[in-house]
């Protein structure tokens, strides 16, 4: 019959992902899930608080001890710190501040007009690689890619007549899955991890390690080359597997809230031009202020990309300003915001849509705080690292083990620096005794950490991505997003690990001042 759709047999991969999605969607609401996990942590901490573990915590030099979170002192400490735990939850401030500026640019129509202009000259076939690449580039702005690039990915795909969840998946793969890739421009993560690696390396008993200095760009060549690998993975998977699978998923979001593609009017073009010029001028002024060696934007030693540099610490406020200015200019020129009250209204509208995220962030912050206080995460990480040491495998297998261990620990501890501070203090000096350089150990950690970012619901931004999806497909749940991103994660961890092994096997430098062996050159 004309118009009828012939049923197609599902392959094993699709059946597996359907199963993951169905099981994941049966999980409680994310806010309740974090609350339940918090209570589980309390209970487990009570059980193991009296157990004597032989594992040494490298941060204290003493045997690790699980803290009982159900004892009166711990409970009163939890209650007295609850407000501070919530308001100081890092992703909360990043999301809200960035969304204030982004909300104005979206409310006045600047973002919509800009996307329509870009889409008018960008072939649909290139949308995916460009989106993944922009996601990787957003790492310069620390975590702002989560609140900026990922929702724009959905808008771009939907406006181009493609499935919006495929756009979210491609952007998420670039922003989070490719978190350790760098699009030529180093991110603040590079000096942060290198600093922790340097501290860990100096824990080695080898005299040559006492004054070891790790270059912040010790993985720069590897992470830059990785960009092209991640773009290729994101491009092929999105276009050939993810989007075809989404064809059965109906977009049922509110039509009035979904973007529409229309030709720009003369007034819109004028507003877009002037607003973009205002953004460029702001960028030029920022660059001019950064160039002098004595610039206040630089760290005490004169570095720009150091994690302590005011420039790196001001990325989110800069994004707020960079979208606020063109948003205001566009509003006044295009007549979409005629006074300051309209600008404030745009900010308020963006905040009203964040209510659900704020609720989830509250419970997520309390869970992460409890997990950290209990020392359970540290225990799991140290036991895994010691197990890897006891295996005494060939170096290639050891590197694979580091990748897998990092990926598994990533399911327990969200912060990249927190994970590396824990397991790096063991892995780095341990592998130095085996002749492996800290640079190579750090690179293996980064591969595992990035590859599993996109499948752990404990990622602080994971609930936010679910909300982005629900704007287009109301039934989206945790399982939907995990099933959507699982192919990217598996492909990345396999191919990216092989990519690292190729660097090691052929002696391709990992970065500036890096080496594969310890001592260097041996």
């Amino acid at each position: 019959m004309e118009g009828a759709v012939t049923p197609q047999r599902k392959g094993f991969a699709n059946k597996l992902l359907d199963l993951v999605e169905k099981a994941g969607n049966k999980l409680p609401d994310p806010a309740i899930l974090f609350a339940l996990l918090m209570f589980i942590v309390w209970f487990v901490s009570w059980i193991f608080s009296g157990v004597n573990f032989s594992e040494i915590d490298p941060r204290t030099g003493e045997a690790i001890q699980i803290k009982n979170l159900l004892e009166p002192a711990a409970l009163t400490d939890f209650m007295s710190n609850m407000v501070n735990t919530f308001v100081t939850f890092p992703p909360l401030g990043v999301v809200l501040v960035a969304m204030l500026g982004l909300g104005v640019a979206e409310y006045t129509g600047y973002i919509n007009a800009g996307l329509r202009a870009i889409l008018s000259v960008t072939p649909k076939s290139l949308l995916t690689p460009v989106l993944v690449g922009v996601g990787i580039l957003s790492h310069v702005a620390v975590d702002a890619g989560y609140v900026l690039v990922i929702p724009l990915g959905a808008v771009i795909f939907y406006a181009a007549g493609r499935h919006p969840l495929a756009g979210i998946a491609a952007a998420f793969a670039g922003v989070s899955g490719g978190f350790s890739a760098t699009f030529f421009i180093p991110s603040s993560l590079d000096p942060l991890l290198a600093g922790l690696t340097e501290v860990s390396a100096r824990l080695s008993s080898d005299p040559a390690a006492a004054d070891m200095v790790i270059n912040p760009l010790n993985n720069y060549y590897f992470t830059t080359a990785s960009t092209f690998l991640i773009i290729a993975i994101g491009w092929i998977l999105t276009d050939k597997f993810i989007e075809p699978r989404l064809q059965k998923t109906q977009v049922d979001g509110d039509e009035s809230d979904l973007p529409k593609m229309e030709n720009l009017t003369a007034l819109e073009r004028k507003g877009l031009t002037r607003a973009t010029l205002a953004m460029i001028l702001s960028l030029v002024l920022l660059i001019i202020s950064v160039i002098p060696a004595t610039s206040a934007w630089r760290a005490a030693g004169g570095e720009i990309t150091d994690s302590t540099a005011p420039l790196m610490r001001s990325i989110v406020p800069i994004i707020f300003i960079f979208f606020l200015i063109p948003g205001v200019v566009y509003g006044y020129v295009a007549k979409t915001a005629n006074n300051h009250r309209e600008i404030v209204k745009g900010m308020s509208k963006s905040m009203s849509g964040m209510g659900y995220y704020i609720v989830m962030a509250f419970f997520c912050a309390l869970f992460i705080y409890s997990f950290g206080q209990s020392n359970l995460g540290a225990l799991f990480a140290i036991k895994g690292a010691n197990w890897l040491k006891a295996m005494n495998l060939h170096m290639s297998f050891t590197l694979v083990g580091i990748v897998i261990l990092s990926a598994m620990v990533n399911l327990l501890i969200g912060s990249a620096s927190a994970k590396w501070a824990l397991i790096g203090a063991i892995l780095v000096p341990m592998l130095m005794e085996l002749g492996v350089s800290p640079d190579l150990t750090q690179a293996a950690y980064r591969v595992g950490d990035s590859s599993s970012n996109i499948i752990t619901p404990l990622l602080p931004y994971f609930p936010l991505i679910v909300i982005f999806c629900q704007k287009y497909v109301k039934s989206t749940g945790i399982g939907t997003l995990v099933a959507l991103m699982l192919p990217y994660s598996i492909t990345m961890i396999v191919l990216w690990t092989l990519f690292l092994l190729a660097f090691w096997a052929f002696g391709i430098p990992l970065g500036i001042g890096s080496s594969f062996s310890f001592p260097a050159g041996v």
Side-chain angles (χ1 to χ4, degrees):
M1 182 172 61
E2 185 178 355
V5 178
T6 303
Q8 295 181 350
R9 297 182 62 185
K10 291 185 177 181
F12 174 76
N14 277 315
K15 289 181 179 179
L16 178 61
L17 293 178
D18 286 342
L19 182 64
V20 170
E21 178 176 353
K22 185 179 296 184
N25 285 339
K26 289 184 178 180
L27 290 172
D29 183 273
I32 301 302
L33 177 61
F34 283 122
L36 291 174
L37 288 172
M38 180 183 69
F39 292 133
I40 291 174
V41 166
W42 288 6
F43 180 71
V44 174
S45 72
W46 168 68
I47 292 177
F48 289 102
S49 60
V51 178
N52 294 319
F53 295 98
S54 59
E55 285 76 17
I56 302 299
D57 189 335
R59 299 166 299 181
T60 63
E62 301 175 354
I64 196 165
Q65 179 68 42
I66 300 302
K67 180 180 179 180
N68 180 10
L69 299 183
L70 289 179
E71 62 180 8
L75 288 173
T76 54
D77 183 65
F78 174 82
M79 293 295 292
S80 62
N81 286 296
M82 181 182 290
V83 174
N84 188 60
T85 299
F86 173 53
V87 298
T88 58
F89 187 48
L92 183 65
V94 171
V95 170
L96 297 184
V97 173
M99 288 301 292
L100 283 173
L102 184 61
V104 172
E106 183 177 9
Y107 179 79
T108 61
Y110 173 67
I111 291 178
N112 185 271
L115 291 173
R116 284 153 58 196
I118 293 173
L119 289 171
S120 66
V121 297
T122 303
K124 290 184 180 180
S125 59
L126 295 180
L127 284 180
T128 304
V130 169
L131 181 59
V132 177
V134 170
I136 294 173
L137 183 62
S138 72
H139 301 154
V140 177
V142 197
D143 292 338
Y146 288 100
V147 296
L148 178 63
V149 178
I150 293 176
L152 294 186
V155 173
I156 291 173
F157 267 54
Y158 184 78
R162 301 178 63 178
H163 203 289
L165 294 196
I168 288 177
F172 196 14
V175 171
S176 193
F179 191 66
S180 278
T182 53
F183 209 164
F184 297 103
I185 303 176
S187 72
S188 60
L189 183 66
D190 294 306
L192 178 61
L193 292 183
L196 293 173
T197 302
E198 182 175 301
V199 172
S200 299
R202 291 183 178 182
L203 296 175
S204 172
S205 59
D206 193 305
D211 299 316
M212 175 171 282
V213 176
I214 303 295
N215 191 303
L217 300 181
N218 64 329
N219 290 159
Y220 178 70
Y221 301 146
F222 172 69
T223 55
T224 298
S226 296
T227 294
F228 301 97
L229 175 67
I230 300 303
I231 290 176
I233 292 173
W235 189 358
I236 294 172
L237 281 181
T238 302
D239 291 0
K240 301 300 183 182
F241 183 75
I242 301 299
E243 193 164 15
R245 184 174 181 272
L246 285 170
Q247 294 307 310
K248 65 177 182 179
T249 303
Q250 182 181 359
V251 177
D252 58 2
D254 188 348
E255 290 289 338
S256 62
D257 287 338
L258 301 183
K260 298 177 177 62
M261 277 297 293
E262 299 174 352
N263 293 327
L264 292 173
T265 65
L267 198 59
E268 287 176 329
R269 290 187 180 279
K270 182 179 179 182
L272 180 62
T273 299
R274 294 191 178 182
T276 303
L277 287 175
M279 177 183 276
I280 294 174
L281 178 60
S282 301
L283 178 61
V284 170
L285 291 176
L286 177 63
I287 293 174
I288 292 175
S289 67
V290 170
I291 289 177
T294 57
S295 172
W297 287 115
R298 297 175 179 268
E303 299 86 358
I304 297 176
T305 58
D306 190 284
S307 59
T308 62
L311 180 65
M312 291 292 101
R313 299 171 66 89
S314 304
I315 290 297
V316 174
I318 288 173
I319 289 176
F320 162 70
I321 295 173
F322 269 40
F323 277 91
L324 175 65
I325 291 176
V328 171
V329 172
Y330 181 88
Y332 278 95
V333 175
K335 307 299 182 184
T336 56
N338 298 314
N339 53 60
H340 69 277
R341 291 181 175 82
E342 290 291 320
I343 303 302
V344 174
K345 185 177 179 180
M347 292 184 181
S348 300
K349 185 177 180 180
S350 68
M351 289 297 99
S352 65
M354 299 305 297
Y356 185 48
Y357 173 73
I358 293 174
V359 173
M360 286 191 292
F362 173 74
F363 289 102
C364 183
L366 297 182
F367 161 69
I368 292 176
Y369 171 81
S370 297
F371 199 57
Q373 290 292 106
S374 70
N375 256 350
L376 286 171
L379 175 64
F380 296 155
I382 293 171
K383 275 187 172 294
N386 288 341
W387 171 80
L388 182 62
K389 181 179 181 180
M391 293 293 288
N392 194 26
L393 300 171
H394 183 270
M395 187 47 54
S396 59
F397 290 104
T398 299
L399 292 176
V400 173
I402 296 172
V403 172
I404 295 175
L405 172 65
S406 302
M408 293 177 64
V409 173
N410 196 26
L411 302 179
L412 302 171
I413 305 174
S415 169
S417 58
K419 287 190 295 290
W420 191 227
L422 283 171
I423 64 176
I426 297 174
L427 291 178
V428 170
M430 176 189 78
L431 292 176
M432 286 170 66
E433 295 178 7
L434 301 177
V436 181
S437 74
D439 308 305
L440 181 55
T441 305
Q442 177 184 297
Y445 162 76
R446 297 182 73 164
V447 170
D449 175 60
S450 292
S451 299
S452 59
N453 273 341
I454 49 181
I455 60 170
T456 169
L458 299 186
L459 177 75
Y461 293 99
F462 203 88
L464 182 65
I465 313 304
V466 173
I467 293 175
F468 290 151
C469 291
Q470 289 175 345
K471 179 178 181 181
Y472 299 90
V473 180
K474 295 179 180 179
S475 62
T476 300
I478 290 178
T480 306
L481 187 55
V482 171
L484 192 66
M485 303 310 299
L486 191 57
Y488 294 99
S489 182
I490 294 174
T491 306
M492 283 181 184
I493 202 167
V494 173
L495 297 185
W496 210 349
T497 300
L498 292 175
F499 194 60
L500 174 61
L501 290 175
F503 264 73
W504 170 68
F506 293 103
I508 305 172
L510 291 170
I512 299 174
S514 67
S515 65
F516 287 102
S517 59
F518 177 82
V522 175

mmCIF file of all heavy atoms in Angstrom, residues 388-415:
data_model
loop_
_atom_site.group_PDB
_atom_site.id
_atom_site.type_symbol
_atom_site.label_atom_id
_atom_site.label_comp_id
_atom_site.label_asym_id
_atom_site.label_seq_id
_atom_site.Cartn_x
_atom_site.Cartn_y
_atom_site.Cartn_z
ATOM 1 N N LEU A 388 46.117 -2.823 39.199
ATOM 2 C CA LEU A 388 46.817 -2.691 37.921
ATOM 3 C C LEU A 388 48.309 -2.925 38.099
ATOM 4 O O LEU A 388 48.960 -3.569 37.263
ATOM 5 C CB LEU A 388 46.567 -1.292 37.344
ATOM 6 C CG LEU A 388 47.173 -0.985 35.976
ATOM 7 C CD1 LEU A 388 46.605 -1.902 34.916
ATOM 8 C CD2 LEU A 388 46.911 0.472 35.600
ATOM 9 N N LYS A 389 48.860 -2.438 39.201
ATOM 10 C CA LYS A 389 50.284 -2.633 39.470
ATOM 11 C C LYS A 389 50.606 -4.110 39.680
ATOM 12 O O LYS A 389 51.623 -4.628 39.210
ATOM 13 C CB LYS A 389 50.690 -1.828 40.706
ATOM 14 C CG LYS A 389 52.155 -1.946 41.060
ATOM 15 C CD LYS A 389 52.498 -1.100 42.280
ATOM 16 C CE LYS A 389 53.979 -1.210 42.628
ATOM 17 N NZ LYS A 389 54.324 -0.386 43.816
ATOM 18 N N ALA A 390 49.721 -4.807 40.374
ATOM 19 C CA ALA A 390 49.961 -6.224 40.675
ATOM 20 C C ALA A 390 49.899 -7.104 39.427
ATOM 21 O O ALA A 390 50.486 -8.195 39.414
ATOM 22 C CB ALA A 390 48.942 -6.711 41.702
ATOM 23 N N MET A 391 49.236 -6.656 38.376
ATOM 24 C CA MET A 391 49.098 -7.453 37.154
ATOM 25 C C MET A 391 50.441 -7.632 36.440
ATOM 26 O O MET A 391 50.675 -8.649 35.797
ATOM 27 C CB MET A 391 48.100 -6.791 36.207
ATOM 28 C CG MET A 391 46.664 -6.795 36.728
ATOM 29 S SD MET A 391 45.959 -8.443 36.821
ATOM 30 C CE MET A 391 45.735 -8.800 35.086
ATOM 31 N N ASN A 392 51.333 -6.622 36.533
ATOM 32 C CA ASN A 392 52.671 -6.702 35.939
ATOM 33 C C ASN A 392 52.622 -7.106 34.460
ATOM 34 O O ASN A 392 53.279 -8.051 34.019
ATOM 35 C CB ASN A 392 53.543 -7.693 36.717
ATOM 36 C CG ASN A 392 55.013 -7.561 36.360
ATOM 37 O OD1 ASN A 392 55.464 -6.489 35.937
ATOM 38 N ND2 ASN A 392 55.768 -8.636 36.505
ATOM 39 N N LEU A 393 51.831 -6.364 33.670
ATOM 40 C CA LEU A 393 51.633 -6.686 32.264
ATOM 41 C C LEU A 393 52.646 -5.964 31.377
ATOM 42 O O LEU A 393 53.371 -5.078 31.829
ATOM 43 C CB LEU A 393 50.220 -6.280 31.841
ATOM 44 C CG LEU A 393 49.060 -6.951 32.588
ATOM 45 C CD1 LEU A 393 47.745 -6.283 32.210
ATOM 46 C CD2 LEU A 393 49.014 -8.431 32.280
ATOM 47 N N HIS A 394 52.670 -6.350 30.082
ATOM 48 C CA HIS A 394 53.473 -5.637 29.082
ATOM 49 C C HIS A 394 52.990 -4.193 29.030
ATOM 50 O O HIS A 394 51.819 -3.905 29.282
ATOM 51 C CB HIS A 394 53.316 -6.303 27.708
ATOM 52 C CG HIS A 394 54.155 -5.685 26.648
ATOM 53 N ND1 HIS A 394 53.716 -4.638 25.859
ATOM 54 C CD2 HIS A 394 55.420 -5.966 26.227
ATOM 55 C CE1 HIS A 394 54.668 -4.309 25.013
ATOM 56 N NE2 HIS A 394 55.708 -5.103 25.211
ATOM 57 N N MET A 395 53.899 -3.279 28.691
ATOM 58 C CA MET A 395 53.569 -1.873 28.784
ATOM 59 C C MET A 395 52.335 -1.477 27.972
ATOM 60 O O MET A 395 51.526 -0.649 28.400
ATOM 61 C CB MET A 395 54.775 -1.022 28.349
ATOM 62 C CG MET A 395 54.568 0.481 28.581
ATOM 63 S SD MET A 395 53.907 0.860 30.234
ATOM 64 C CE MET A 395 55.111 0.036 31.265
ATOM 65 N N SER A 396 52.154 -2.065 26.791
ATOM 66 C CA SER A 396 50.986 -1.724 25.982
ATOM 67 C C SER A 396 49.697 -2.094 26.717
ATOM 68 O O SER A 396 48.719 -1.340 26.709
ATOM 69 C CB SER A 396 51.042 -2.438 24.628
ATOM 70 O OG SER A 396 51.081 -3.842 24.806
ATOM 71 N N PHE A 397 49.704 -3.237 27.394
ATOM 72 C CA PHE A 397 48.532 -3.655 28.154
ATOM 73 C C PHE A 397 48.353 -2.779 29.393
ATOM 74 O O PHE A 397 47.222 -2.516 29.823
ATOM 75 C CB PHE A 397 48.661 -5.122 28.563
ATOM 76 C CG PHE A 397 48.541 -6.080 27.418
ATOM 77 C CD1 PHE A 397 49.672 -6.690 26.891
ATOM 78 C CD2 PHE A 397 47.311 -6.363 26.858
ATOM 79 C CE1 PHE A 397 49.573 -7.565 25.825
ATOM 80 C CE2 PHE A 397 47.197 -7.249 25.796
ATOM 81 C CZ PHE A 397 48.325 -7.855 25.270
ATOM 82 N N THR A 398 49.470 -2.332 29.959
ATOM 83 C CA THR A 398 49.394 -1.454 31.117
ATOM 84 C C THR A 398 48.740 -0.128 30.747
ATOM 85 O O THR A 398 47.906 0.405 31.493
ATOM 86 C CB THR A 398 50.799 -1.192 31.696
ATOM 87 O OG1 THR A 398 51.377 -2.429 32.103
ATOM 88 C CG2 THR A 398 50.731 -0.254 32.895
ATOM 89 N N LEU A 399 49.112 0.410 29.574
ATOM 90 C CA LEU A 399 48.499 1.653 29.104
ATOM 91 C C LEU A 399 47.006 1.475 28.882
ATOM 92 O O LEU A 399 46.204 2.346 29.238
ATOM 93 C CB LEU A 399 49.179 2.126 27.815
ATOM 94 C CG LEU A 399 50.631 2.605 27.952
ATOM 95 C CD1 LEU A 399 51.211 2.942 26.588
ATOM 96 C CD2 LEU A 399 50.708 3.826 28.870
ATOM 97 N N VAL A 400 46.629 0.336 28.307
ATOM 98 C CA VAL A 400 45.210 0.036 28.114
ATOM 99 C C VAL A 400 44.518 -0.057 29.472
ATOM 100 O O VAL A 400 43.390 0.427 29.655
ATOM 101 C CB VAL A 400 45.018 -1.283 27.327
ATOM 102 C CG1 VAL A 400 43.543 -1.674 27.289
ATOM 103 C CG2 VAL A 400 45.555 -1.128 25.912
ATOM 104 N N GLY A 401 45.208 -0.650 30.445
ATOM 105 C CA GLY A 401 44.657 -0.759 31.794
ATOM 106 C C GLY A 401 44.420 0.600 32.419
ATOM 107 O O GLY A 401 43.404 0.813 33.100
ATOM 108 N N ILE A 402 45.339 1.543 32.202
ATOM 109 C CA ILE A 402 45.184 2.894 32.737
ATOM 110 C C ILE A 402 43.951 3.556 32.125
ATOM 111 O O ILE A 402 43.169 4.216 32.821
ATOM 112 C CB ILE A 402 46.434 3.748 32.460
ATOM 113 C CG1 ILE A 402 47.645 3.165 33.186
ATOM 114 C CG2 ILE A 402 46.207 5.195 32.898
ATOM 115 C CD1 ILE A 402 48.943 3.840 32.822
ATOM 116 N N VAL A 403 43.787 3.365 30.822
ATOM 117 C CA VAL A 403 42.633 3.944 30.130
ATOM 118 C C VAL A 403 41.336 3.392 30.723
ATOM 119 O O VAL A 403 40.402 4.144 31.040
ATOM 120 C CB VAL A 403 42.696 3.649 28.618
ATOM 121 C CG1 VAL A 403 41.398 4.078 27.939
ATOM 122 C CG2 VAL A 403 43.882 4.371 27.985
ATOM 123 N N ILE A 404 41.276 2.075 30.876
ATOM 124 C CA ILE A 404 40.066 1.434 31.397
ATOM 125 C C ILE A 404 39.810 1.841 32.845
ATOM 126 O O ILE A 404 38.672 2.145 33.230
ATOM 127 C CB ILE A 404 40.174 -0.102 31.279
ATOM 128 C CG1 ILE A 404 40.232 -0.501 29.794
ATOM 129 C CG2 ILE A 404 38.999 -0.779 31.968
ATOM 130 C CD1 ILE A 404 40.463 -1.974 29.577
ATOM 131 N N LEU A 405 40.883 1.873 33.654
ATOM 132 C CA LEU A 405 40.739 2.279 35.053
ATOM 133 C C LEU A 405 40.212 3.706 35.140
ATOM 134 O O LEU A 405 39.295 4.001 35.925
ATOM 135 C CB LEU A 405 42.085 2.169 35.769
ATOM 136 C CG LEU A 405 42.134 2.732 37.194
ATOM 137 C CD1 LEU A 405 41.217 1.935 38.115
ATOM 138 C CD2 LEU A 405 43.558 2.737 37.726
ATOM 139 N N SER A 406 40.767 4.600 34.335
ATOM 140 C CA SER A 406 40.326 5.997 34.340
ATOM 141 C C SER A 406 38.866 6.107 33.944
ATOM 142 O O SER A 406 38.105 6.894 34.520
ATOM 143 C CB SER A 406 41.192 6.825 33.386
ATOM 144 O OG SER A 406 42.559 6.756 33.742
ATOM 145 N N ALA A 407 38.468 5.313 32.933
ATOM 146 C CA ALA A 407 37.075 5.336 32.479
ATOM 147 C C ALA A 407 36.135 4.847 33.573
ATOM 148 O O ALA A 407 35.052 5.405 33.779
ATOM 149 C CB ALA A 407 36.925 4.470 31.228
ATOM 150 N N MET A 408 36.560 3.819 34.311
ATOM 151 C CA MET A 408 35.718 3.270 35.374
ATOM 152 C C MET A 408 35.623 4.231 36.557
ATOM 153 O O MET A 408 34.544 4.430 37.124
ATOM 154 C CB MET A 408 36.263 1.916 35.822
ATOM 155 C CG MET A 408 36.172 0.826 34.762
ATOM 156 S SD MET A 408 36.891 -0.742 35.291
ATOM 157 C CE MET A 408 35.790 -1.172 36.648
ATOM 158 N N VAL A 409 36.745 4.830 36.936
ATOM 159 C CA VAL A 409 36.734 5.787 38.044
ATOM 160 C C VAL A 409 35.896 7.008 37.679
ATOM 161 O O VAL A 409 35.260 7.622 38.540
ATOM 162 C CB VAL A 409 38.173 6.208 38.413
ATOM 163 C CG1 VAL A 409 38.168 7.335 39.445
ATOM 164 C CG2 VAL A 409 38.950 5.017 38.956
ATOM 165 N N ASN A 410 35.853 7.322 36.386
ATOM 166 C CA ASN A 410 35.060 8.456 35.911
ATOM 167 C C ASN A 410 33.578 8.262 36.195
ATOM 168 O O ASN A 410 32.811 9.224 36.249
ATOM 169 C CB ASN A 410 35.277 8.648 34.403
ATOM 170 C CG ASN A 410 34.803 10.012 33.924
ATOM 171 O OD1 ASN A 410 34.767 10.974 34.687
ATOM 172 N ND2 ASN A 410 34.440 10.093 32.672
ATOM 173 N N LEU A 411 33.156 7.006 36.359
ATOM 174 C CA LEU A 411 31.760 6.727 36.677
ATOM 175 C C LEU A 411 31.464 6.988 38.146
ATOM 176 O O LEU A 411 30.302 6.983 38.563
ATOM 177 C CB LEU A 411 31.423 5.269 36.332
ATOM 178 C CG LEU A 411 31.652 4.855 34.871
ATOM 179 C CD1 LEU A 411 31.312 3.391 34.687
ATOM 180 C CD2 LEU A 411 30.840 5.724 33.922
ATOM 181 N N LEU A 412 32.522 7.231 38.929
ATOM 182 C CA LEU A 412 32.359 7.435 40.365
ATOM 183 C C LEU A 412 32.681 8.856 40.796
ATOM 184 O O LEU A 412 32.071 9.382 41.721
ATOM 185 C CB LEU A 412 33.264 6.469 41.143
ATOM 186 C CG LEU A 412 33.057 4.972 40.876
ATOM 187 C CD1 LEU A 412 34.160 4.172 41.550
ATOM 188 C CD2 LEU A 412 31.697 4.524 41.376
ATOM 189 N N ILE A 413 33.640 9.480 40.130
ATOM 190 C CA ILE A 413 34.083 10.827 40.493
ATOM 191 C C ILE A 413 34.034 11.695 39.243
ATOM 192 O O ILE A 413 34.659 11.385 38.234
ATOM 193 C CB ILE A 413 35.515 10.821 41.061
ATOM 194 C CG1 ILE A 413 35.616 9.846 42.236
ATOM 195 C CG2 ILE A 413 35.929 12.213 41.502
ATOM 196 C CD1 ILE A 413 37.008 9.670 42.775
ATOM 197 N N GLY A 414 33.284 12.800 39.291
ATOM 198 C CA GLY A 414 33.068 13.609 38.100
ATOM 199 C C GLY A 414 34.225 14.526 37.733
ATOM 200 O O GLY A 414 34.522 14.705 36.558
ATOM 201 N N SER A 415 34.877 15.105 38.708
ATOM 202 C CA SER A 415 35.910 16.102 38.443
ATOM 203 C C SER A 415 37.172 15.466 37.878
ATOM 204 O O SER A 415 37.731 14.531 38.464
ATOM 205 C CB SER A 415 36.258 16.854 39.725
ATOM 206 O OG SER A 415 37.410 17.648 39.557
#
